[in-house]
Amino acid sequence: MPPKQQKQPLRPPPMRRAATPLPGMNNKRSVLPAEIIASILDYLPVRDLLTFARVSRRVQEMVYEDTRWIAKLQQMSVWNETEARQRFEEAMRRKRAAEAARRAEEEKAFAERRTQGMGRGSTIFDIDAETNRTEVTKLGLDLLSLGPGMSTAPRPLSDRGEMLTVMKSIRSIRGFARQEFARVYGALAPLYFDLVRARTHTDPVVFQMYRDPEEQAQMLAQLQVFSKCDTAMGWAERTERLRAMMEVFENAALREFEGGYENNDVDGRMRRYAHVLITLNGGGPCIQLFVQKHPVLYEREKLGDPMVCFDNPVMGSFSLEPAKSFWQKLAEVLKVQADVIDRVFPLTTSVMIPFLDRVAEDVISEYVTPILDEAHERDMDKYLRAVTGLLKQSIEFAEQIPPGKHSTPEQFRQDVIQIIRRVFDAHVDLYLQEELDYAKNRYNEEVEMWEKHIADQDAATESFFMSNINREQDKRDFLSTFKKVILAPVSVIPSAFNMKTTPAITPSVESEEKTPYPSMAAPPAYSNGNVDPRLSIISSSSGRSSPAASIIPPTTELAAKAAIMNTKLEAIKTLFSLDVALKLVHMAKESIERAKIFTTVGGQTGEEAREQCEAIFVALLQVLGPRHIKYGFDRAVDHLGQYNPREVAHTSNGVAPLVTFLELVNIGDLIQQMIDVFYEQELVTNKLTDRNDFINPATKEKKRFEQMLDERVAAGLNVGIDVLIAEVEHIFATTQQVTDFNPGVLDVATQAAGSRMSVMQPATNRMSTISPAGNRRFTMSSVQMEIGPTETAKRVVEIVGGHTKLLVGSTDKNVLDVFNQEVGIRLFAAVCKHIKRQRISVDGAIRLISDMNHYYTYITTLKIRPLIPYFTALRELSQIYLIDPQHAKQMATVIADPGRFGGIFRVEEVYEYAARREDWYRVKKDVERAMYGIGCVVM
């Protein structure tokens, strides 16, 4: 007695449209609704469906419904909905064309009958014509689903060859899905049910009908597809029996393929049974066997030892040259294997990619991983070079592998790159993080080295200048030095009434106490000519040759501190270095060039590498900006703020610290331009960042860097303006002679001192004459009076103009305009303060007017419109001093006219300036009477 069969689960019914309720199914005699009956039909075998269709016409319509058979064809994946839609549209087009032709023919026939039978009786209804029209209409409905030359009857299968291709011959025609399924069922159902009932692999009829392995594999593949439409009870057991029989066939074919592989019968058994297995189920087990049997997976030591890259040729060295030999040998093996694959497998099957995937897992990874682990333990630089070097070599290796006949070159290359990417996926996260940390450490080390260099240089300089100072001796000599200073003769104090101007004291080695120590141009040397070893670093950094005369350290603390301060002021331009910035940029370039290689592999790894390249650039700006440039600018501003023109020897026409700071601004501008070029060429051009993405980290950090640089430059220029104006005031105080604006003071000083000068001529004869050279000459004294601006005004304009020109081209135009405007306003205030310190006579007013015109001319060259009214008011103000004392009323009118000065000066301020006239105390009463009515008496 056979064992009791277990109840098999029901296969889910195919998805189809709900059955249309039939007329009469909802009457009182119906037992089940149409939907339930349609669901029952889904689980009936095909033979039972045809039997059940004989119950009634209505049930037959439910069984023969086209959607039911379309669902079965879709389960076997042989129904093409797109083809069915195209056939339907083509049938509708032919139907419309046939209807139009028929209508035209009828109209033509009707017109002929009307012409021929005019006056005769006509037939109203013809039964034969109506019958013919009905047959044509039915034929048109059939044409909706059939093309030209198609028959409605199922085509019989004439021989076994057609049965092997029955699945490929199925047509997708709406309305005839049942007929198409009938062809498949008639061909495959007997073989299918016979095979699932067989007890051994020799019993099935299919193996008796087809003796060739290729045909057997083709028929078994069709039976496997046909089993998908088996939804009747017991389908699971039948499917399992079919699968077991196919496994028996597959194992036999695999043994034959393996035998051919071992005998190297490439074009014989290997090729034949590879095609058999691929026809059977795609050839997955065949491909797997082919990949696993290759000797390269078990003899990878012959390709190369990964440890040869280390300590060869000397201990501690690292080279990837041995790795090149590994890649070349592996490429040769794969080229041979690619030729074998092309000969064995059909073009529709890709075998090279699975083979490369296994080689990458078992060969390439086993070679790459030991190298990276060993390099990471030894040195970080070696590790970074090893990762990127091996990745670059692997990409070059991928270019050498021939794509074969199974895929296009472009698609094959992309697949190989993805395989290589999976090899490095285990290392990419660690590498990217180490690359970023390594770049940051190198940035910080370079900046710290520079800061240490500057600190050592400052310490060596201070040590040198303080080396000859004996503090105990200074304490003992303090009292005597103080007495010498207090008891010094008064005659050494410069006076404005001296006949000769005191020349400026020039710095010299012998007079250290009187002047600050000059700045070093080279390492100081002792009197014997030997260079002080403490300042050797200064010589190496400056690169300038030593002067011929040796420099001796100062012997007093005051002179030493002055020399140190002067050295710091001159060293402003060394507070940050263009060379350091260039080194940092090169470091960033090296790191980005290495990390950029990972972007070529694409995918998530490529995106992470791109983000890491941006992070390296951001780290560069964070170190170069706040750590180096900002710190240097802050120190420069501090040194510049300590500048005192009264404590520095003036040997040039410019303010040396300010000139140096402006050079520092130029260096900062060069660094910014260098960063812009680096950003464009390394990040934007290589598509590592998007300059238009305003939330991009690299873009945001670059804008922050530029903003920081602009703010530091603005802060330095603000202090620079203070220093520049302090220098201008110092020039006013030291170079402006008393006689420039009051020539008559010389005669007064001569009479008071009892000099041997001639007696002053009468006031009526004190008129100026014009010399042959065109200059105005005063007869009141032997001093020749010139008409042009004074030397003080020329020097002020030269210094101010020279410093403002230094910023042209190195800063933004808006910053330059703001700087020039601020300089002009501060210069205006300094000139006003200077005028208030002078005594100006009528004769000296001409020189004052010339000075004001000189300042005005310079201001117009700046092309800053808001400054023009200020210096125009100065020109008008200088006219007050030219008015003769006898015209006090006109002087009062000028002083009391606020519109004359454009609102720059108030009446009270003009009155204060008028008080600086040399004869003010003689005209004051008359001017006040004219202005305020003081002295009037009411009669």
Side-chain angles (χ1 to χ4, degrees):
M1 182 176 181
K4 185 178 180 180
Q5 295 183 358
Q6 296 181 358
K7 185 178 181 180
Q8 299 294 332
L10 297 179
R11 177 174 289 185
M15 299 297 296
R16 61 182 181 84
R17 295 191 298 270
T20 305
L22 298 177
M25 294 297 293
N26 295 327
N27 54 21
K28 297 181 180 179
R29 293 179 297 175
S30 60
V31 179
L32 296 175
E35 287 79 5
I36 296 179
I37 296 177
S39 299
I40 294 174
L41 295 178
D42 292 336
Y43 295 99
L44 290 178
V46 175
R47 290 183 180 274
D48 295 341
L49 276 175
L50 299 178
T51 303
F52 184 66
R54 298 176 183 178
V55 172
S56 66
R57 181 176 297 177
R58 295 167 182 170
V59 174
Q60 183 183 13
E61 290 178 356
M62 294 182 64
V63 173
Y64 288 1
E65 186 179 4
D66 198 55
T67 57
R68 184 179 307 281
W69 305 101
I70 289 177
K72 290 184 176 295
L73 293 177
Q74 288 177 344
Q75 287 178 334
M76 294 186 292
S77 302
V78 294
W79 177 267
N80 190 340
E81 185 64 26
T82 303
E83 179 186 354
R85 186 181 299 109
Q86 291 176 353
R87 288 178 180 273
F88 176 77
E89 293 175 355
E90 181 67 18
M92 290 297 296
R93 186 184 63 81
R94 290 196 302 270
K95 177 186 176 182
R96 288 192 294 269
E99 288 289 337
R102 183 183 59 80
R103 191 179 300 109
E105 187 68 23
E106 290 179 354
E107 291 178 355
K108 182 178 179 181
F110 178 77
E112 292 177 355
R113 288 194 304 269
R114 184 177 180 182
T115 302
Q116 296 175 1
M118 185 173 294
R120 302 177 183 177
S122 60
T123 302
I124 299 177
F125 180 79
D126 190 353
I127 185 62
D128 295 333
E130 292 297 327
T131 303
N132 187 24
R133 183 180 296 110
T134 303
E135 295 296 331
V136 172
T137 303
K138 292 182 178 179
L139 179 61
L141 293 176
D142 295 339
L143 290 176
L144 287 175
S145 301
L146 295 176
M150 295 182 180
S151 175
T152 60
R155 295 178 300 174
L157 299 176
S158 59
D159 55 9
R160 295 181 303 173
E162 292 186 5
M163 293 175 63
L164 293 175
T165 58
V166 63
M167 286 293 183
K168 297 180 180 179
S169 63
I170 298 300
R171 300 170 299 175
S172 300
I173 307 174
R174 290 178 179 174
F176 293 91
R178 180 172 59 86
Q179 288 83 348
E180 294 298 321
F181 179 80
R183 293 180 63 245
V184 176
Y185 189 85
L188 300 181
L191 299 178
Y192 172 73
F193 289 107
D194 175 74
L195 187 144
V196 298
R197 288 192 300 266
R199 295 182 179 274
T200 63
H201 64 278
T202 59
D203 295 340
V205 177
V206 63
F207 295 133
Q208 299 174 7
M209 291 179 59
Y210 302 98
R211 309 302 297 179
D212 189 59
E214 288 83 356
E215 294 179 349
Q216 293 175 351
Q218 190 172 357
M219 181 56 68
L220 288 175
Q222 288 191 121
L223 293 177
Q224 185 181 20
V225 174
F226 177 77
S227 66
K228 296 179 180 178
C229 69
D230 185 6
T231 59
M233 183 176 296
W235 66 267
E237 181 180 357
R238 290 190 293 272
T239 304
E240 181 63 24
R241 286 178 177 273
L242 175 63
R243 186 189 63 80
M245 195 62 67
M246 292 183 66
E247 285 183 356
V248 173
F249 180 83
E250 182 182 25
N251 292 333
L254 281 175
R255 285 193 297 269
E256 293 294 331
F257 179 82
E258 186 176 4
Y261 188 94
E262 293 175 351
N263 296 327
N264 199 21
D265 188 6
V266 176
D267 297 322
R269 295 166 64 185
M270 287 184 64
R271 176 181 175 83
R272 180 181 184 183
Y273 286 97
H275 284 69
V276 168
L277 291 169
I278 290 174
T279 303
L280 180 65
N281 54 10
C286 174
I287 296 173
Q288 184 178 4
L289 176 63
F290 177 81
V291 171
Q292 291 177 350
K293 295 286 288 185
H294 199 280
V296 72
L297 302 177
Y298 310 101
E299 301 176 357
R300 54 177 176 266
E301 293 80 6
K302 296 181 179 180
L303 298 177
D305 184 10
M307 293 297 105
V308 179
C309 298
F310 299 92
D311 303 330
N312 186 17
V314 296
M315 185 64 65
S317 62
F318 173 74
S319 175
L320 289 176
E321 289 299 324
K324 292 183 179 180
S325 176
F326 166 81
W327 296 111
Q328 291 175 358
K329 294 179 181 179
L330 185 59
E332 293 297 330
V333 172
L334 294 180
K335 288 179 182 178
V336 175
Q337 195 66 13
D339 179 66
V340 174
I341 290 173
D342 290 342
R343 292 162 56 188
V344 172
F345 296 94
L347 299 179
T348 57
T349 305
S350 177
V351 182
M352 193 63 183
I353 295 301
F355 179 72
L356 284 175
D357 199 1
R358 183 62 181 273
V359 169
E361 181 180 354
D362 293 350
V363 179
I364 298 178
S365 295
E366 295 298 328
Y367 183 84
V368 169
T369 303
I371 295 178
L372 299 183
D373 293 342
E374 184 67 20
H376 189 268
E377 292 179 1
R378 292 194 177 193
D379 182 67
M380 187 55 60
D381 180 64
K382 295 178 182 178
Y383 171 74
L384 300 178
R385 290 191 291 114
V387 175
T388 55
L390 289 174
L391 178 61
K392 188 175 181 180
Q393 290 179 358
S394 63
I395 294 176
E396 295 174 355
F397 159 77
E399 299 289 344
Q400 300 177 6
I401 303 175
K405 301 177 182 180
H406 304 84
S407 59
T408 60
E410 184 63 27
Q411 183 63 37
F412 179 79
R413 183 182 182 279
Q414 293 179 2
D415 294 338
V416 176
I417 291 298
Q418 294 304 315
I419 293 174
I420 297 298
R421 178 182 61 82
R422 288 194 290 270
V423 173
F424 286 88
D425 277 346
H427 309 279
V428 63
D429 293 335
L430 177 62
Y431 162 74
L432 293 177
Q433 186 60 42
E434 294 289 358
E435 184 71 71
L436 179 59
D437 295 340
Y438 181 73
K440 291 181 178 179
N441 293 335
R442 291 187 68 191
Y443 299 157
N444 293 323
E445 289 175 0
E446 184 65 28
V447 174
E448 288 174 359
M449 186 182 302
W450 170 258
E451 293 175 351
K452 184 176 181 300
H453 174 75
I454 295 299
D456 293 344
Q457 181 177 344
D458 293 342
T461 303
E462 184 174 357
S463 176
F464 172 77
F465 284 124
M466 302 295 289
S467 60
N468 284 354
I469 297 175
N470 190 338
R471 298 184 181 275
E472 296 296 333
Q473 183 66 27
D474 289 343
K475 291 179 180 179
R476 290 193 296 266
D477 296 342
F478 175 75
L479 184 58
S480 60
T481 303
F482 180 74
K483 291 180 179 180
K484 291 179 181 179
V485 173
I486 294 299
L487 299 179
V490 181
S491 59
V492 300
I493 301 176
S495 174
F497 299 99
N498 293 340
M499 291 297 297
K500 298 181 179 180
T501 59
T502 304
I505 302 175
T506 58
S508 62
V509 177
E510 292 78 11
S511 57
E512 297 169 354
E513 293 80 9
K514 297 181 181 180
T515 60
Y517 197 82
S519 61
M520 289 191 305
Y526 295 114
S527 58
N528 57 4
N530 296 327
V531 178
D532 191 339
R534 291 168 295 186
L535 291 184
S536 58
I537 186 174
I538 302 177
S539 175
S540 61
S541 62
S542 63
R544 293 175 288 187
S545 59
S546 301
S550 61
I551 301 177
I552 302 175
T555 57
T556 63
E557 185 175 2
L558 180 61
K561 290 183 178 181
I564 293 173
M565 178 58 64
N566 199 13
T567 303
K568 289 182 178 180
L569 291 175
E570 288 190 348
I572 286 179
K573 60 183 177 182
T574 63
L575 292 179
F576 62 82
S577 170
L578 185 62
D579 294 336
V580 173
L582 189 59
K583 289 181 180 179
L584 295 180
V585 169
H586 279 301
M587 293 175 186
K589 180 179 175 62
E590 292 176 3
S591 298
I592 291 178
E593 288 291 339
R594 287 194 294 260
K596 185 177 66 176
I597 300 177
F598 280 91
T599 61
T600 58
V601 301
Q604 183 179 359
T605 301
E607 183 65 21
E608 292 176 355
R610 187 189 65 80
E611 294 177 356
Q612 208 69 354
C613 291
E614 294 179 346
I616 293 172
F617 178 73
V618 170
L620 167 67
L621 296 184
Q622 290 176 349
V623 174
L624 182 60
R627 280 290 306 277
H628 190 57
I629 296 180
K630 183 177 180 296
Y631 176 74
F633 266 120
D634 291 341
R635 290 188 61 188
V637 171
D638 293 340
H639 292 339
L640 194 61
Q642 298 173 6
Y643 173 77
N644 188 352
R646 295 172 179 80
E647 298 178 357
V648 179
H650 298 270
T651 58
S652 62
N653 293 330
V655 183
L658 182 56
V659 174
T660 306
F661 178 79
L662 296 181
E663 293 178 3
L664 196 68
V665 173
N666 291 329
I667 294 176
D669 182 67
L670 289 176
I671 293 176
Q672 181 177 352
Q673 295 179 12
M674 183 168 58
I675 293 297
D676 290 339
V677 173
F678 177 76
Y679 176 78
E680 291 291 332
Q681 293 184 354
E682 293 297 326
L683 296 180
V684 177
T685 304
N686 294 322
K687 297 181 180 180
L688 300 178
T689 189
D690 184 9
R691 70 160 69 93
N692 298 323
D693 186 4
F694 62 92
I695 62 174
N696 185 273
T699 305
K700 291 171 62 177
E701 191 63 31
K702 182 173 178 291
K703 292 181 179 179
R704 191 179 297 113
F705 173 80
E706 295 172 352
Q707 182 180 1
M708 179 275 301
L709 194 59
D710 293 339
E711 291 176 354
R712 294 301 95 195
V713 170
L717 293 180
N718 189 26
V719 178
I721 292 174
D722 296 337
V723 173
L724 182 61
I725 298 303
E727 183 71 17
V728 169
E729 293 178 350
H730 179 71
I731 294 174
F732 281 147
T734 56
T735 63
Q736 192 77 66
Q737 301 298 322
V738 179
T739 58
D740 288 341
F741 303 138
N742 190 9
V745 73
L746 290 177
D747 295 333
V748 177
T750 302
Q751 292 178 1
S755 63
R756 297 179 180 179
M757 294 181 63
S758 302
V759 180
M760 183 182 299
Q761 297 180 4
T764 56
N765 295 330
R766 191 172 56 196
M767 299 297 292
S768 60
T769 59
I770 304 301
S771 64
N775 298 328
R776 177 171 296 180
R777 185 182 305 274
F778 289 90
T779 58
M780 56 171 284
S781 64
S782 61
V783 179
Q784 184 177 354
M785 188 66 181
E786 296 181 359
I787 301 300
T790 62
E791 293 297 327
T792 301
K794 293 179 180 178
R795 187 173 179 185
V796 168
V797 171
E798 181 181 359
I799 287 179
V800 175
H803 288 82
T804 55
K805 290 179 181 178
L806 291 176
L807 288 176
V808 177
S810 62
T811 57
D812 185 67
K813 185 178 184 302
N814 295 328
V815 177
L816 183 61
D817 291 344
V818 172
F819 176 77
N820 290 336
Q821 183 173 353
E822 184 65 21
V823 168
I825 293 175
R826 299 284 293 277
L827 177 62
F828 169 79
V831 172
C832 292
K833 188 187 299 184
H834 178 58
I835 293 176
K836 291 181 179 181
R837 296 195 186 104
Q838 304 300 315
R839 279 296 176 184
I840 307 170
S841 64
V842 176
D843 298 327
I846 298 177
R847 298 299 299 273
L848 180 63
I849 294 173
S850 299
D851 285 357
M852 299 303 108
N853 289 332
H854 192 55
Y855 296 140
Y856 178 83
T857 303
Y858 163 70
I859 291 299
T860 55
T861 60
L862 298 180
K863 298 180 181 180
I864 306 296
R865 188 178 298 274
L867 294 178
I868 301 300
Y870 288 92
F871 289 86
T872 302
L874 282 178
R875 295 174 64 186
E876 296 295 334
L877 181 65
S878 62
Q879 302 293 331
I880 297 176
Y881 305 102
L882 194 61
I883 301 175
D884 192 86
Q886 299 178 358
H887 303 86
K889 185 175 181 180
Q890 288 79 359
M891 187 184 306
T893 303
V894 172
I895 295 174
D897 185 8
R900 185 182 184 91
F901 305 100
I904 303 299
F905 296 113
R906 294 175 294 140
V907 176
E908 294 80 2
E909 293 177 342
V910 177
Y911 180 84
E912 293 179 4
Y913 286 110
R916 303 311 300 168
R917 288 177 59 98
E918 180 268 336
D919 55 358
W920 175 250
Y921 292 103
R922 295 197 301 270
V923 300
K924 176 180 178 182
K925 185 177 181 180
D926 297 334
V927 172
E928 290 180 348
R929 180 183 297 112
M931 292 180 61
Y932 309 114
I934 300 176
C936 296
V937 179
V938 180
M939 300 300 294

